[in-house]
mmCIF file of all heavy atoms in Angstrom:
data_model
loop_
_atom_site.group_PDB
_atom_site.id
_atom_site.type_symbol
_atom_site.label_atom_id
_atom_site.label_comp_id
_atom_site.label_asym_id
_atom_site.label_seq_id
_atom_site.Cartn_x
_atom_site.Cartn_y
_atom_site.Cartn_z
ATOM 1 N N ASP A 45 -37.272 6.786 -14.478
ATOM 2 C CA ASP A 45 -38.111 7.976 -14.196
ATOM 3 C C ASP A 45 -37.443 8.765 -13.063
ATOM 4 O O ASP A 45 -37.447 8.323 -11.922
ATOM 5 C CB ASP A 45 -39.515 7.529 -13.800
ATOM 6 C CG ASP A 45 -40.413 8.732 -13.518
ATOM 7 O OD1 ASP A 45 -39.939 9.880 -13.673
ATOM 8 O OD2 ASP A 45 -41.560 8.506 -13.110
ATOM 9 N N VAL A 46 -36.877 9.889 -13.373
ATOM 10 C CA VAL A 46 -36.161 10.691 -12.353
ATOM 11 C C VAL A 46 -36.921 11.967 -12.057
ATOM 12 O O VAL A 46 -36.385 12.874 -11.404
ATOM 13 C CB VAL A 46 -34.692 10.989 -12.753
ATOM 14 C CG1 VAL A 46 -33.872 9.726 -12.797
ATOM 15 C CG2 VAL A 46 -34.615 11.742 -14.071
ATOM 16 N N ASP A 47 -38.192 12.043 -12.473
ATOM 17 C CA ASP A 47 -38.979 13.253 -12.202
ATOM 18 C C ASP A 47 -39.074 13.482 -10.703
ATOM 19 O O ASP A 47 -39.429 12.616 -9.950
ATOM 20 C CB ASP A 47 -40.393 13.118 -12.777
ATOM 21 C CG ASP A 47 -40.392 13.443 -14.266
ATOM 22 O OD1 ASP A 47 -39.323 13.829 -14.794
ATOM 23 O OD2 ASP A 47 -41.449 13.276 -14.908
ATOM 24 N N GLY A 48 -38.717 14.710 -10.298
ATOM 25 C CA GLY A 48 -38.853 15.078 -8.873
ATOM 26 C C GLY A 48 -37.797 14.504 -7.989
ATOM 27 O O GLY A 48 -37.872 14.626 -6.756
ATOM 28 N N VAL A 49 -36.814 13.806 -8.551
ATOM 29 C CA VAL A 49 -35.744 13.200 -7.732
ATOM 30 C C VAL A 49 -34.602 14.200 -7.600
ATOM 31 O O VAL A 49 -34.144 14.773 -8.594
ATOM 32 C CB VAL A 49 -35.211 11.883 -8.355
ATOM 33 C CG1 VAL A 49 -34.070 11.319 -7.516
ATOM 34 C CG2 VAL A 49 -36.373 10.880 -8.504
ATOM 35 N N GLU A 50 -34.166 14.405 -6.382
ATOM 36 C CA GLU A 50 -33.027 15.315 -6.140
ATOM 37 C C GLU A 50 -31.728 14.609 -6.543
ATOM 38 O O GLU A 50 -31.513 13.485 -6.176
ATOM 39 C CB GLU A 50 -32.958 15.656 -4.630
ATOM 40 C CG GLU A 50 -33.951 16.702 -4.193
ATOM 41 C CD GLU A 50 -33.681 18.084 -4.764
ATOM 42 O OE1 GLU A 50 -32.523 18.547 -4.651
ATOM 43 O OE2 GLU A 50 -34.622 18.669 -5.329
ATOM 44 N N PRO A 51 -30.880 15.319 -7.245
ATOM 45 C CA PRO A 51 -29.563 14.716 -7.545
ATOM 46 C C PRO A 51 -28.740 14.583 -6.256
ATOM 47 O O PRO A 51 -28.842 15.414 -5.355
ATOM 48 C CB PRO A 51 -28.906 15.710 -8.491
ATOM 49 C CG PRO A 51 -29.583 17.016 -8.272
ATOM 50 C CD PRO A 51 -30.964 16.678 -7.816
ATOM 51 N N LYS B 384 -29.130 11.763 -10.074
ATOM 52 C CA LYS B 384 -30.499 11.471 -9.636
ATOM 53 C C LYS B 384 -30.713 9.947 -9.490
ATOM 54 O O LYS B 384 -31.362 9.492 -8.539
ATOM 55 C CB LYS B 384 -31.510 12.037 -10.627
ATOM 56 C CG LYS B 384 -31.564 13.578 -10.572
ATOM 57 C CD LYS B 384 -32.548 14.120 -11.615
ATOM 58 C CE LYS B 384 -32.611 15.632 -11.495
ATOM 59 N NZ LYS B 384 -33.492 16.239 -12.540
ATOM 60 N N THR B 387 -29.340 8.792 -6.294
ATOM 61 C CA THR B 387 -30.274 9.026 -5.199
ATOM 62 C C THR B 387 -31.256 7.852 -5.072
ATOM 63 O O THR B 387 -31.550 7.356 -3.966
ATOM 64 C CB THR B 387 -31.053 10.334 -5.395
ATOM 65 O OG1 THR B 387 -30.117 11.429 -5.399
ATOM 66 C CG2 THR B 387 -32.091 10.586 -4.299
ATOM 67 N N LEU B 388 -31.737 7.386 -6.239
ATOM 68 C CA LEU B 388 -32.703 6.273 -6.228
ATOM 69 C C LEU B 388 -32.071 4.966 -5.746
ATOM 70 O O LEU B 388 -32.674 4.162 -5.039
ATOM 71 C CB LEU B 388 -33.297 6.086 -7.622
ATOM 72 C CG LEU B 388 -34.169 7.227 -8.116
ATOM 73 C CD1 LEU B 388 -34.534 7.022 -9.594
ATOM 74 C CD2 LEU B 388 -35.443 7.369 -7.278
ATOM 75 N N ARG B 391 -31.785 5.165 -2.093
ATOM 76 C CA ARG B 391 -33.122 5.054 -1.503
ATOM 77 C C ARG B 391 -33.536 3.566 -1.439
ATOM 78 O O ARG B 391 -34.192 3.136 -0.464
ATOM 79 C CB ARG B 391 -34.114 5.842 -2.371
ATOM 80 C CG ARG B 391 -35.327 6.321 -1.600
ATOM 81 C CD ARG B 391 -36.219 7.151 -2.507
ATOM 82 N NE ARG B 391 -35.765 8.532 -2.629
ATOM 83 C CZ ARG B 391 -36.245 9.421 -3.513
ATOM 84 N NH1 ARG B 391 -37.170 9.036 -4.385
ATOM 85 N NH2 ARG B 391 -35.816 10.655 -3.532
#
Side-chain angles (χ1 to χ4, degrees):
Chain A
D45 180 4
V46 293
D47 279 355
V49 178
E50 282 292 310
Chain B
K384 288 179 179 176
T387 298
L388 294 172
R391 206 177 278 169

